[in-house]
Coordinates of all heavy atoms in Angstrom, one line a residue:
M1 N -25.2 -10.9 -24.2 CA -24.7 -12.2 -23.7 C -23.2 -12.3 -23.9 O -22.5 -12.9 -23.1 CB -25.5 -13.3 -24.3 CG -25.1 -14.7 -23.8 SD -25.8 -14.9 -22.1 CE -25.6 -16.5 -21.9
A2 N -22.8 -11.8 -25.1 CA -21.4 -11.9 -25.4 C -20.5 -11.1 -24.4 O -19.4 -11.6 -24.0 CB -21.1 -11.3 -26.8
F3 N -21.0 -10.0 -23.9 CA -20.3 -9.2 -22.9 C -20.1 -10.0 -21.6 O -19.0 -10.0 -21.0 CB -21.0 -7.9 -22.6 CG -20.4 -7.1 -21.5 CD1 -19.2 -6.5 -21.7 CD2 -20.9 -7.1 -20.2 CE1 -18.5 -5.8 -20.7 CE2 -20.3 -6.4 -19.2 CZ -19.1 -5.8 -19.4
L4 N -21.1 -10.7 -21.2 CA -21.1 -11.5 -20.0 C -20.0 -12.6 -20.1 O -19.3 -12.9 -19.2 CB -22.5 -12.1 -19.7 CG -22.6 -12.9 -18.4 CD1 -22.2 -12.1 -17.2 CD2 -23.9 -13.5 -18.3
L5 N -20.0 -13.3 -21.3 CA -19.0 -14.3 -21.5 C -17.6 -13.7 -21.5 O -16.6 -14.3 -20.9 CB -19.2 -15.1 -22.8 CG -20.5 -15.9 -22.8 CD1 -20.7 -16.5 -24.2 CD2 -20.4 -17.0 -21.8
Y6 N -17.4 -12.6 -22.1 CA -16.1 -11.9 -22.1 C -15.7 -11.5 -20.6 O -14.5 -11.8 -20.2 CB -16.1 -10.6 -22.9 CG -14.8 -9.8 -22.8 CD1 -13.7 -10.3 -23.5 CD2 -14.8 -8.7 -22.1 CE1 -12.5 -9.6 -23.4 CE2 -13.6 -8.0 -22.0 CZ -12.5 -8.4 -22.6 OH -11.3 -7.7 -22.5
A7 N -16.6 -11.0 -19.8 CA -16.3 -10.7 -18.5 C -16.0 -11.9 -17.6 O -15.1 -11.9 -16.8 CB -17.5 -9.9 -17.8
M8 N -16.6 -13.0 -17.9 CA -16.3 -14.2 -17.1 C -14.9 -14.8 -17.5 O -14.2 -15.3 -16.7 CB -17.4 -15.3 -17.4 CG -18.7 -14.9 -16.8 SD -20.1 -16.0 -17.2 CE -19.5 -17.5 -16.4
D9 N -14.5 -14.6 -18.8 CA -13.2 -15.1 -19.2 C -12.1 -14.2 -18.5 O -11.1 -14.7 -18.1 CB -13.0 -15.0 -20.7 CG -13.7 -16.1 -21.4 OD1 -14.1 -17.1 -20.8 OD2 -13.9 -15.9 -22.6
W10 N -12.4 -12.9 -18.4 CA -11.4 -12.0 -17.7 C -11.2 -12.3 -16.2 O -10.2 -12.1 -15.7 CB -11.8 -10.6 -17.9 CG -10.8 -9.6 -17.4 CD1 -9.7 -9.2 -18.1 CD2 -10.8 -8.9 -16.2 NE1 -9.0 -8.4 -17.3 CE2 -9.6 -8.2 -16.1 CE3 -11.6 -8.9 -15.0 CZ2 -9.3 -7.4 -15.0 CZ3 -11.3 -8.2 -14.0 CH2 -10.1 -7.4 -14.0
L11 N -12.3 -12.8 -15.6 CA -12.2 -13.1 -14.2 C -11.6 -14.4 -13.8 O -11.6 -14.8 -12.7 CB -13.6 -13.0 -13.6 CG -14.2 -11.6 -13.5 CD1 -15.7 -11.7 -13.0 CD2 -13.4 -10.7 -12.6
E12 N -11.1 -15.1 -14.8 CA -10.4 -16.4 -14.5 C -9.2 -16.1 -13.6 O -8.6 -15.1 -13.7 CB -9.9 -17.0 -15.8 CG -11.0 -17.6 -16.7 CD -11.6 -18.8 -16.1 OE1 -11.0 -19.6 -15.5 OE2 -12.9 -18.8 -16.2
P13 N -8.9 -17.0 -12.7 CA -7.8 -16.7 -11.7 C -6.5 -16.4 -12.4 O -5.7 -15.6 -11.9 CB -7.7 -18.1 -10.9 CG -9.1 -18.7 -11.1 CD -9.6 -18.2 -12.4
A14 N -6.2 -16.9 -13.5 CA -4.9 -16.7 -14.2 C -4.9 -15.2 -14.7 O -3.8 -14.7 -14.9 CB -4.7 -17.6 -15.4
N15 N -6.0 -14.6 -14.9 CA -6.0 -13.2 -15.5 C -6.1 -12.1 -14.4 O -5.9 -11.0 -14.7 CB -7.2 -13.1 -16.5 CG -7.0 -13.9 -17.7 OD1 -5.9 -14.2 -18.1 ND2 -8.1 -14.4 -18.3
I16 N -6.5 -12.5 -13.2 CA -6.7 -11.5 -12.2 C -5.3 -10.9 -11.8 O -4.4 -11.6 -11.4 CB -7.3 -12.0 -10.9 CG1 -8.8 -12.4 -11.3 CG2 -7.3 -11.0 -9.8 CD1 -9.5 -13.1 -10.2
G17 N -5.2 -9.6 -12.0 CA -4.0 -8.9 -11.7 C -2.8 -9.0 -12.7 O -1.8 -8.5 -12.5
A18 N -3.1 -9.7 -13.8 CA -2.0 -9.9 -14.8 C -1.5 -8.6 -15.4 O -0.4 -8.4 -15.7 CB -2.5 -10.9 -15.8
D19 N -2.4 -7.6 -15.6 CA -2.1 -6.4 -16.2 C -1.6 -5.3 -15.1 O -1.1 -4.3 -15.5 CB -3.2 -5.8 -17.0 CG -3.6 -6.8 -18.1 OD1 -2.7 -7.5 -18.6 OD2 -4.8 -6.8 -18.5
I20 N -1.8 -5.6 -13.9 CA -1.6 -4.6 -12.8 C -0.2 -4.7 -12.2 O 0.5 -3.8 -12.0 CB -2.7 -4.7 -11.7 CG1 -4.0 -4.5 -12.3 CG2 -2.4 -3.8 -10.6 CD1 -5.2 -4.8 -11.4
M21 N 0.3 -6.0 -12.0 CA 1.5 -6.2 -11.3 C 2.7 -5.9 -12.2 O 2.7 -6.3 -13.3 CB 1.6 -7.6 -10.8 CG 0.6 -8.0 -9.8 SD 0.8 -7.2 -8.2 CE 2.2 -8.0 -7.6
K22 N 3.7 -5.1 -11.7 CA 4.9 -4.9 -12.4 C 5.9 -6.0 -12.2 O 6.0 -6.5 -11.1 CB 5.5 -3.6 -12.0 CG 4.7 -2.4 -12.3 CD 5.4 -1.1 -12.0 CE 4.5 0.1 -12.3 NZ 5.2 1.4 -12.0
K23 N 6.7 -6.3 -13.1 CA 7.7 -7.4 -13.1 C 9.0 -6.9 -12.5 O 9.4 -5.7 -12.8 CB 7.9 -8.0 -14.4 CG 6.6 -8.6 -15.1 CD 6.1 -9.8 -14.3 CE 4.9 -10.3 -15.1 NZ 4.1 -11.1 -14.2
D24 N 9.7 -7.7 -11.8 CA 11.1 -7.5 -11.4 C 11.3 -6.2 -10.5 O 12.3 -5.5 -10.6 CB 12.1 -7.4 -12.6 CG 12.0 -8.7 -13.4 OD1 11.9 -9.8 -12.7 OD2 12.1 -8.6 -14.6
I25 N 10.3 -5.8 -9.7 CA 10.5 -4.7 -8.8 C 10.4 -5.0 -7.4 O 10.7 -4.2 -6.5 CB 9.4 -3.6 -9.1 CG1 8.0 -4.1 -8.8 CG2 9.5 -3.1 -10.5 CD1 7.0 -3.0 -8.7
H26 N 10.1 -6.3 -7.1 CA 10.0 -6.7 -5.7 C 11.3 -7.3 -5.2 O 12.0 -8.0 -5.9 CB 8.8 -7.7 -5.6 CG 7.5 -7.2 -6.0 ND1 6.8 -6.2 -5.4 CD2 6.8 -7.4 -7.2 CE1 5.7 -5.9 -6.0 NE2 5.7 -6.6 -7.1
P27 N 11.6 -7.1 -3.9 CA 12.8 -7.7 -3.4 C 12.7 -9.2 -3.2 O 11.6 -9.8 -3.2 CB 13.0 -7.0 -2.0 CG 11.6 -6.6 -1.6 CD 10.9 -6.3 -2.9
D28 N 13.8 -9.9 -3.1 CA 13.9 -11.3 -2.9 C 13.3 -11.6 -1.5 O 13.8 -11.1 -0.5 CB 15.3 -11.8 -3.0 CG 15.4 -13.3 -2.8 OD1 14.5 -14.0 -3.2 OD2 16.4 -13.7 -2.3
Y29 N 12.3 -12.4 -1.4 CA 11.6 -12.8 -0.2 C 11.9 -14.3 0.1 O 11.5 -15.1 -0.7 CB 10.1 -12.5 -0.3 CG 9.3 -12.4 0.9 CD1 9.7 -11.5 1.9 CD2 8.2 -13.1 1.1 CE1 8.9 -11.4 3.1 CE2 7.4 -13.0 2.2 CZ 7.8 -12.1 3.2 OH 7.1 -12.0 4.4
H30 N 12.6 -14.6 1.1 CA 13.1 -15.9 1.4 C 13.1 -16.3 2.8 O 12.8 -15.5 3.7 CB 14.6 -16.1 0.8 CG 15.4 -14.9 1.3 ND1 15.6 -13.8 0.6 CD2 16.1 -14.8 2.5 CE1 16.3 -12.9 1.3 NE2 16.7 -13.5 2.4
M31 N 13.4 -17.6 3.1 CA 13.4 -18.1 4.5 C 14.7 -17.8 5.2 O 15.8 -18.0 4.6 CB 13.1 -19.6 4.5 CG 11.8 -20.0 4.0 SD 10.4 -19.3 5.0 CE 10.6 -20.3 6.5
I32 N 14.6 -17.2 6.4 CA 15.8 -17.0 7.3 C 15.5 -17.6 8.7 O 14.4 -17.8 9.0 CB 16.2 -15.5 7.4 CG1 15.1 -14.7 8.1 CG2 16.5 -14.9 6.0 CD1 15.6 -13.4 8.6
K33 N 16.6 -17.7 9.5 CA 16.4 -18.1 10.9 C 16.7 -16.9 11.7 O 17.6 -16.1 11.5 CB 17.4 -19.2 11.2 CG 17.2 -20.5 10.4 CD 18.2 -21.5 10.8 CE 18.0 -22.8 9.9 NZ 19.1 -23.7 10.1
V34 N 15.9 -16.8 12.8 CA 16.1 -15.7 13.7 C 16.4 -16.3 15.1 O 15.7 -17.1 15.6 CB 14.8 -14.8 13.9 CG1 14.9 -13.7 14.9 CG2 14.4 -14.3 12.5
Q35 N 17.6 -15.9 15.6 CA 18.0 -16.4 16.9 C 17.8 -15.3 18.0 O 18.3 -14.2 17.9 CB 19.5 -16.8 16.9 CG 20.0 -17.4 18.2 CD 21.5 -17.8 18.1 OE1 22.1 -17.7 17.0 NE2 22.0 -18.4 19.1
M36 N 17.0 -15.7 19.0 CA 16.7 -14.8 20.1 C 17.8 -14.8 21.1 O 18.8 -15.5 21.0 CB 15.4 -15.3 20.8 CG 14.2 -15.6 19.9 SD 13.5 -14.1 19.4 CE 12.2 -13.9 20.6
T37 N 17.8 -13.8 22.0 CA 18.9 -13.7 23.0 C 19.0 -14.9 23.9 O 20.1 -15.2 24.4 CB 18.7 -12.4 23.9 OG1 17.4 -12.5 24.5 CG2 18.7 -11.2 23.0
D38 N 17.9 -15.6 24.1 CA 18.0 -16.8 25.0 C 18.5 -18.1 24.2 O 18.5 -19.2 24.8 CB 16.7 -17.1 25.7 CG 15.6 -17.4 24.7 OD1 15.8 -17.3 23.5 OD2 14.5 -17.7 25.2
G39 N 18.7 -17.9 22.9 CA 19.2 -19.1 22.1 C 18.2 -19.8 21.3 O 18.5 -20.6 20.4
T40 N 16.9 -19.5 21.5 CA 15.9 -20.2 20.7 C 15.9 -19.6 19.3 O 16.3 -18.5 19.0 CB 14.5 -19.9 21.3 OG1 14.2 -18.5 21.4 CG2 14.4 -20.5 22.7
V41 N 15.6 -20.5 18.4 CA 15.6 -20.1 16.9 C 14.3 -20.4 16.3 O 13.7 -21.5 16.6 CB 16.8 -21.0 16.2 CG1 16.8 -20.7 14.7 CG2 18.1 -20.7 16.9
F42 N 13.8 -19.5 15.4 CA 12.7 -19.8 14.6 C 12.9 -19.4 13.2 O 13.8 -18.6 12.9 CB 11.4 -19.2 15.2 CG 11.4 -17.7 15.2 CD1 10.8 -17.0 14.1 CD2 11.9 -16.9 16.2 CE1 10.8 -15.6 14.1 CE2 11.9 -15.6 16.2 CZ 11.4 -14.9 15.1
E43 N 12.1 -19.9 12.3 CA 12.3 -19.5 10.9 C 11.1 -18.6 10.4 O 10.0 -18.8 10.9 CB 12.3 -20.8 10.0 CG 13.6 -21.6 10.1 CD 13.7 -22.7 9.0 OE1 13.0 -22.6 8.0 OE2 14.5 -23.6 9.2
T44 N 11.4 -17.7 9.6 CA 10.4 -16.8 9.1 C 10.9 -16.3 7.7 O 12.0 -16.5 7.3 CB 10.2 -15.6 10.0 OG1 9.1 -14.8 9.5 CG2 11.5 -14.7 10.0
R45 N 9.9 -15.7 7.0 CA 10.3 -15.2 5.6 C 10.7 -13.7 5.8 O 10.1 -13.0 6.6 CB 9.1 -15.3 4.7 CG 8.8 -16.8 4.4 CD 7.5 -17.0 3.5 NE 7.5 -16.2 2.4 CZ 7.8 -16.5 1.2 NH1 8.4 -17.7 1.0 NH2 7.7 -15.7 0.1
S46 N 11.7 -13.3 5.0 CA 12.2 -11.9 5.2 C 12.9 -11.5 3.9 O 13.3 -12.4 3.1 CB 13.1 -11.9 6.4 OG 13.7 -10.6 6.5
T47 N 13.2 -10.2 3.8 CA 14.0 -9.7 2.7 C 15.4 -9.5 3.2 O 16.3 -9.1 2.5 CB 13.5 -8.4 2.2 OG1 13.4 -7.4 3.2 CG2 12.1 -8.6 1.5
W48 N 15.7 -9.7 4.5 CA 17.0 -9.5 5.1 C 17.9 -10.7 4.7 O 17.6 -11.8 4.7 CB 16.9 -9.5 6.6 CG 18.2 -9.3 7.3 CD1 18.8 -8.1 7.6 CD2 19.1 -10.3 7.8 NE1 20.0 -8.4 8.2 CE2 20.2 -9.7 8.4 CE3 19.0 -11.7 7.8 CZ2 21.2 -10.4 9.0 CZ3 20.1 -12.4 8.4 CH2 21.1 -11.8 8.9
G49 N 19.2 -10.4 4.4 CA 20.2 -11.4 4.1 C 19.9 -12.3 2.9 O 19.3 -11.8 2.0
S50 N 20.4 -13.5 3.0 CA 20.2 -14.5 1.9 C 19.5 -15.7 2.5 O 19.3 -15.8 3.7 CB 21.6 -14.9 1.4 OG 22.3 -13.8 0.9
E51 N 19.1 -16.5 1.6 CA 18.3 -17.8 2.0 C 19.2 -18.5 3.0 O 20.3 -18.8 2.8 CB 18.1 -18.6 0.7 CG 17.4 -19.9 1.0 CD 15.9 -19.8 1.2 OE1 15.3 -18.8 0.6 OE2 15.3 -20.6 1.8
G52 N 18.6 -18.9 4.1 CA 19.2 -19.7 5.2 C 20.1 -18.9 6.1 O 20.7 -19.5 7.1
D53 N 20.3 -17.6 6.0 CA 21.1 -16.8 6.9 C 20.4 -16.8 8.3 O 19.2 -17.0 8.4 CB 21.3 -15.4 6.4 CG 22.3 -15.3 5.4 OD1 23.0 -16.2 5.1 OD2 22.4 -14.2 4.8
T54 N 21.2 -16.5 9.4 CA 20.7 -16.4 10.7 C 20.8 -15.0 11.2 O 21.9 -14.4 11.2 CB 21.5 -17.4 11.7 OG1 21.3 -18.7 11.2 CG2 20.9 -17.3 13.1
L55 N 19.7 -14.4 11.6 CA 19.7 -13.1 12.2 C 19.8 -13.2 13.7 O 18.9 -13.8 14.3 CB 18.4 -12.3 11.8 CG 18.2 -10.9 12.4 CD1 19.2 -10.0 11.9 CD2 16.8 -10.4 12.0
Q56 N 20.8 -12.7 14.3 CA 21.0 -12.8 15.8 C 20.5 -11.5 16.4 O 21.1 -10.4 16.1 CB 22.4 -13.1 16.2 CG 22.9 -14.4 15.7 CD 24.3 -14.7 16.1 OE1 25.0 -13.9 16.5 NE2 24.7 -16.0 15.9
L57 N 19.5 -11.6 17.3 CA 18.9 -10.4 17.9 C 19.7 -10.0 19.2 O 20.2 -10.9 19.9 CB 17.5 -10.6 18.3 CG 16.5 -11.0 17.1 CD1 15.1 -11.2 17.7 CD2 16.5 -9.9 16.1
D58 N 19.9 -8.7 19.4 CA 20.5 -8.2 20.6 C 19.5 -8.0 21.7 O 19.7 -8.2 22.9 CB 21.3 -6.9 20.3 CG 22.4 -7.1 19.4 OD1 23.0 -8.1 19.4 OD2 22.7 -6.1 18.6
I59 N 18.3 -7.5 21.3 CA 17.2 -7.3 22.2 C 16.0 -7.9 21.6 O 15.7 -7.8 20.4 CB 17.0 -5.7 22.4 CG1 18.2 -5.1 23.0 CG2 15.7 -5.5 23.2 CD1 18.1 -3.6 23.2
D60 N 15.2 -8.6 22.4 CA 14.0 -9.2 21.9 C 12.9 -9.1 23.0 O 13.2 -8.7 24.1 CB 14.2 -10.6 21.5 CG 14.7 -11.6 22.6 OD1 14.5 -11.3 23.7 OD2 15.3 -12.6 22.2
P61 N 11.7 -9.6 22.8 CA 10.6 -9.5 23.8 C 10.9 -10.2 25.1 O 10.3 -9.9 26.1 CB 9.4 -10.1 23.1 CG 9.7 -9.9 21.6 CD 11.2 -10.0 21.5
T62 N 11.8 -11.1 25.1 CA 12.1 -11.8 26.4 C 13.1 -11.1 27.2 O 13.3 -11.4 28.4 CB 12.7 -13.2 26.1 OG1 13.9 -13.1 25.4 CG2 11.7 -14.1 25.3
S63 N 13.8 -10.1 26.7 CA 14.8 -9.3 27.4 C 14.6 -7.8 27.5 O 15.2 -7.2 28.4 CB 16.2 -9.6 26.8 OG 16.3 -9.0 25.5
H64 N 13.8 -7.3 26.7 CA 13.6 -5.8 26.7 C 12.6 -5.4 27.7 O 11.5 -6.0 27.9 CB 13.1 -5.4 25.3 CG 13.3 -3.9 25.1 ND1 12.3 -3.0 25.5 CD2 14.2 -3.2 24.5 CE1 12.7 -1.8 25.2 NE2 13.9 -1.9 24.6
P65 N 12.9 -4.3 28.5 CA 12.0 -3.9 29.6 C 10.6 -3.4 29.1 O 9.7 -3.5 29.8 CB 12.8 -2.7 30.2 CG 14.2 -2.8 29.8 CD 14.2 -3.6 28.5
A66 N 10.5 -3.0 27.9 CA 9.2 -2.6 27.4 C 8.2 -3.8 27.3 O 7.0 -3.6 27.5 CB 9.4 -2.0 26.0
W67 N 8.8 -5.0 27.1 CA 7.9 -6.2 27.0 C 7.9 -6.9 28.3 O 6.9 -7.6 28.6 CB 8.4 -7.1 25.9 CG 8.1 -6.6 24.5 CD1 6.8 -6.5 24.0 CD2 9.0 -6.2 23.6 NE1 7.0 -6.0 22.7 CE2 8.3 -5.8 22.4 CE3 10.4 -6.0 23.6 CZ2 8.9 -5.3 21.3 CZ3 11.0 -5.5 22.4 CH2 10.2 -5.2 21.3
T68 N 9.0 -6.9 29.1 CA 9.0 -7.7 30.3 C 8.3 -6.9 31.5 O 8.0 -7.6 32.5 CB 10.5 -8.0 30.7 OG1 11.2 -6.8 30.9 CG2 11.1 -8.8 29.6
G69 N 8.2 -5.6 31.4 CA 7.6 -4.9 32.4 C 8.5 -4.5 33.6 O 8.1 -3.8 34.5
S70 N 9.8 -4.8 33.5 CA 10.7 -4.5 34.6 C 11.1 -3.0 34.4 O 11.1 -2.5 33.3 CB 11.9 -5.4 34.6 OG 12.7 -5.1 33.4
N71 N 11.5 -2.4 35.5 CA 11.9 -1.0 35.5 C 13.4 -0.9 35.5 O 13.9 0.2 35.9 CB 11.3 -0.2 36.7 CG 9.8 -0.1 36.6 OD1 9.3 -0.1 35.5 ND2 9.1 -0.1 37.7
S72 N 14.1 -1.9 35.2 CA 15.6 -1.9 35.3 C 16.1 -0.9 34.2 O 15.6 -0.9 33.1 CB 16.2 -3.3 35.2 OG 15.8 -3.8 33.9
R73 N 17.1 -0.2 34.6 CA 17.7 0.7 33.6 C 18.9 0.0 32.9 O 19.6 -0.8 33.5 CB 18.2 2.0 34.4 CG 17.2 2.8 35.1 CD 16.3 3.6 34.3 NE 17.1 4.5 33.4 CZ 17.0 5.8 33.5 NH1 16.2 6.4 34.3 NH2 17.8 6.6 32.7
L74 N 19.1 0.4 31.7 CA 20.2 -0.2 30.9 C 21.5 0.6 31.2 O 22.5 0.1 30.8 CB 19.9 -0.2 29.4 CG 18.7 -1.1 29.0 CD1 18.4 -0.9 27.6 CD2 18.9 -2.5 29.4
M75 N 21.4 1.7 31.8 CA 22.6 2.5 32.1 C 23.3 2.0 33.4 O 22.7 1.3 34.2 CB 22.2 4.0 32.3 CG 21.7 4.7 31.0 SD 21.3 6.4 31.2 CE 22.0 6.9 32.7
D76 N 24.5 2.6 33.7 CA 25.2 2.2 34.9 C 24.5 2.8 36.1 O 23.7 3.8 35.9 CB 26.6 2.7 34.8 CG 26.8 4.2 34.6 OD1 25.8 4.8 34.2 OD2 27.8 4.7 34.9
S77 N 24.7 2.3 37.3 CA 24.0 2.8 38.5 C 24.5 4.1 39.0 O 24.0 4.6 40.0 CB 24.1 1.7 39.5 OG 25.4 1.4 39.9
G78 N 25.6 4.7 38.4 CA 26.1 5.9 38.9 C 25.2 7.1 38.8 O 25.3 8.0 39.6
G79 N 24.3 7.1 37.9 CA 23.4 8.2 37.7 C 23.9 9.2 36.7 O 25.1 9.4 36.5
Q80 N 23.0 10.0 36.2 CA 23.4 11.0 35.2 C 24.1 12.2 35.8 O 25.0 12.8 35.2 CB 22.1 11.4 34.4 CG 21.5 10.4 33.5 CD 20.3 10.8 32.8 OE1 19.8 11.9 33.0 NE2 19.8 10.0 31.9
V81 N 23.6 12.6 37.0 CA 24.2 13.8 37.7 C 25.7 13.4 38.0 O 26.6 14.3 37.8 CB 23.4 14.2 38.9 CG1 24.1 15.3 39.7 CG2 22.0 14.6 38.5
A82 N 25.9 12.3 38.6 CA 27.3 11.9 38.9 C 28.2 11.8 37.7 O 29.3 12.2 37.7 CB 27.3 10.5 39.6
R83 N 27.7 11.3 36.6 CA 28.4 11.3 35.3 C 28.7 12.7 34.9 O 29.8 13.0 34.4 CB 27.7 10.5 34.3 CG 27.7 9.0 34.5 CD 27.0 8.2 33.4 NE 27.4 8.6 32.1 CZ 26.6 8.6 31.0 NH1 25.4 8.1 31.2 NH2 27.1 9.0 29.9
F84 N 27.8 13.6 35.0 CA 28.0 15.0 34.6 C 29.1 15.6 35.4 O 30.0 16.3 34.9 CB 26.7 15.8 34.7 CG 26.8 17.2 34.3 CD1 26.8 17.6 32.9 CD2 27.0 18.2 35.2 CE1 26.9 18.9 32.6 CE2 27.2 19.5 34.9 CZ 27.1 19.9 33.5
N85 N 29.0 15.5 36.7 CA 30.0 16.1 37.6 C 31.4 15.5 37.4 O 32.4 16.2 37.5 CB 29.5 15.9 39.1 CG 28.4 16.8 39.4 OD1 28.2 17.8 38.8 ND2 27.6 16.4 40.4
K86 N 31.4 14.2 37.1 CA 32.7 13.6 36.8 C 33.3 14.2 35.6 O 34.5 14.4 35.5 CB 32.5 12.1 36.7 CG 33.8 11.3 36.4 CD 33.5 9.8 36.3 CE 34.8 9.1 35.9 NZ 34.5 7.7 35.7
R87 N 32.5 14.4 34.6 CA 33.0 14.9 33.3 C 33.3 16.4 33.3 O 34.3 16.8 32.7 CB 31.9 14.5 32.2 CG 32.4 14.8 30.8 CD 31.4 14.2 29.9 NE 31.8 14.4 28.5 CZ 31.1 14.1 27.5 NH1 29.9 13.5 27.6 NH2 31.5 14.3 26.3
F88 N 32.4 17.2 33.9 CA 32.5 18.6 33.8 C 32.8 19.3 35.2 O 32.7 20.5 35.3 CB 31.3 19.2 33.2 CG 31.0 18.7 31.8 CD1 29.9 17.9 31.6 CD2 31.8 19.1 30.8 CE1 29.7 17.4 30.3 CE2 31.5 18.6 29.5 CZ 30.5 17.8 29.3
G89 N 33.1 18.5 36.2 CA 33.3 19.0 37.6 C 34.4 20.0 37.7 O 34.4 21.0 38.5
G90 N 35.5 20.0 36.9 CA 36.6 20.9 37.0 C 36.4 22.2 36.3 O 37.1 23.2 36.5
L91 N 35.3 22.4 35.5 CA 35.0 23.6 34.9 C 34.4 24.6 35.9 O 33.7 24.3 36.8 CB 34.0 23.4 33.7 CG 34.5 22.5 32.6 CD1 33.4 22.4 31.6 CD2 35.7 23.1 31.9
S92 N 34.8 25.9 35.7 CA 34.3 26.9 36.6 C 34.0 28.1 35.8 O 34.6 28.4 34.8 CB 35.4 27.2 37.7 OG 34.9 28.3 38.4
L93 N 33.0 28.9 36.3 CA 32.7 30.2 35.6 C 33.5 31.4 36.1 O 33.4 32.4 35.6 CB 31.2 30.5 35.8 CG 30.2 29.5 35.1 CD1 28.8 29.8 35.5 CD2 30.4 29.4 33.6
K94 N 34.2 31.1 37.2 CA 35.1 32.2 37.8 C 36.3 32.5 36.9 O 36.8 31.6 36.3 CB 35.5 31.8 39.2 CG 34.4 31.7 40.1 CD 34.9 31.2 41.5 CE 33.7 30.9 42.4 NZ 34.2 30.4 43.7
K95 N 36.7 33.8 36.9 CA 37.9 34.1 36.1 C 39.2 34.2 36.9 O 39.2 34.4 38.0 CB 37.7 35.4 35.4 CG 36.7 35.3 34.3 CD 36.6 36.6 33.5 CE 35.6 36.5 32.4 NZ 35.5 37.6 31.6

Protein backbone atom coordinates (compact mmCIF):
# COMPACT_ATOMS: atom_id res chain seq x y z
CA MET A 1 0.00 0.00 0.00
CA ALA A 2 2.88 2.37 0.74
CA PHE A 3 4.17 1.96 -2.85
CA LEU A 4 0.78 2.92 -4.24
CA LEU A 5 0.69 6.11 -2.14
CA TYR A 6 4.24 7.00 -3.27
CA ALA A 7 3.28 6.46 -6.90
CA MET A 8 0.19 8.63 -6.52
CA ASP A 9 2.29 11.45 -5.01
CA TRP A 10 4.70 11.28 -7.94
CA LEU A 11 1.84 11.60 -10.44
CA GLU A 12 0.74 14.95 -9.06
CA PRO A 13 0.61 17.53 -11.90
CA ALA A 14 3.42 19.56 -10.31
CA ASN A 15 5.78 16.57 -10.45
CA ILE A 16 5.12 15.37 -14.00
CA GLY A 17 8.16 16.11 -16.12
CA ALA A 18 9.97 17.98 -13.33
CA ASP A 19 13.04 15.76 -13.59
CA ILE A 20 12.96 15.45 -17.39
CA MET A 21 12.89 19.04 -18.69
CA LYS A 22 16.18 20.92 -18.95
CA LYS A 23 16.25 24.55 -17.83
CA ASP A 24 17.32 27.54 -19.99
CA ILE A 25 17.73 25.66 -23.30
CA HIS A 26 14.55 26.75 -25.06
CA PRO A 27 14.38 29.88 -27.26
CA ASP A 28 12.23 32.86 -26.32
CA TYR A 29 8.71 32.15 -27.61
CA HIS A 30 6.64 35.36 -27.88
CA MET A 31 3.84 37.11 -29.80
CA ILE A 32 4.65 38.76 -33.16
CA LYS A 33 2.55 40.27 -35.96
CA VAL A 34 2.69 38.84 -39.48
CA GLN A 35 1.79 41.18 -42.36
CA MET A 36 0.66 39.47 -45.56
CA THR A 37 1.31 40.91 -49.04
CA ASP A 38 -2.25 42.25 -49.25
CA GLY A 39 -1.80 44.20 -46.00
CA THR A 40 -3.76 41.98 -43.64
CA VAL A 41 -2.11 41.40 -40.27
CA PHE A 42 -2.47 38.57 -37.79
CA GLU A 43 -0.74 37.70 -34.52
CA THR A 44 0.99 34.44 -33.77
CA ARG A 45 3.60 33.04 -31.41
CA SER A 46 7.12 32.68 -32.79
CA THR A 47 10.82 32.63 -31.96
CA TRP A 48 11.48 35.20 -34.73
CA GLY A 49 12.40 38.75 -33.70
CA SER A 50 11.32 40.32 -30.44
CA GLU A 51 7.98 40.70 -28.68
CA GLY A 52 5.66 42.87 -30.82
CA ASP A 53 7.84 42.90 -34.00
CA THR A 54 6.14 42.73 -37.42
CA LEU A 55 7.24 40.12 -39.97
CA GLN A 56 6.44 41.36 -43.50
CA LEU A 57 5.99 38.54 -46.01
CA ASP A 58 7.16 38.84 -49.64
CA ILE A 59 5.23 35.77 -50.78
CA ASP A 60 2.21 34.26 -49.06
CA PRO A 61 -0.66 31.88 -49.89
CA THR A 62 -2.69 34.72 -51.47
CA SER A 63 0.01 35.56 -54.02
CA HIS A 64 2.15 32.46 -54.63
CA PRO A 65 1.28 30.35 -57.72
CA ALA A 66 1.64 27.12 -55.76
CA TRP A 67 -1.40 28.09 -53.65
CA THR A 68 -3.36 30.19 -56.13
CA GLY A 69 -3.20 27.60 -58.93
CA SER A 70 -2.20 30.12 -61.59
CA ASN A 71 0.42 29.19 -64.14
CA SER A 72 1.95 32.65 -64.33
CA ARG A 73 5.72 32.72 -64.39
CA LEU A 74 7.67 35.00 -62.12
CA MET A 75 10.35 35.48 -64.83
CA ASP A 76 10.27 38.04 -67.62
CA SER A 77 8.36 37.14 -70.79
CA GLY A 78 11.49 37.09 -73.00
CA GLY A 79 12.11 33.43 -72.28
CA GLN A 80 15.21 31.52 -71.31
CA VAL A 81 16.45 30.89 -74.88
CA ALA A 82 16.23 34.58 -75.75
CA ARG A 83 18.13 35.50 -72.60
CA PHE A 84 20.81 32.91 -73.42
CA ASN A 85 21.22 34.20 -76.98
CA LYS A 86 21.40 37.77 -75.76
CA ARG A 87 24.06 36.89 -73.23
CA PHE A 88 26.17 34.44 -75.26
CA GLY A 89 25.16 35.19 -78.88
CA GLY A 90 28.52 36.74 -79.77
CA LEU A 91 30.52 33.65 -78.83
CA SER A 92 31.60 31.35 -81.63
CA LEU A 93 33.44 28.03 -81.84
CA LYS A 94 35.18 29.02 -85.10
CA LYS A 95 38.85 30.08 -84.98
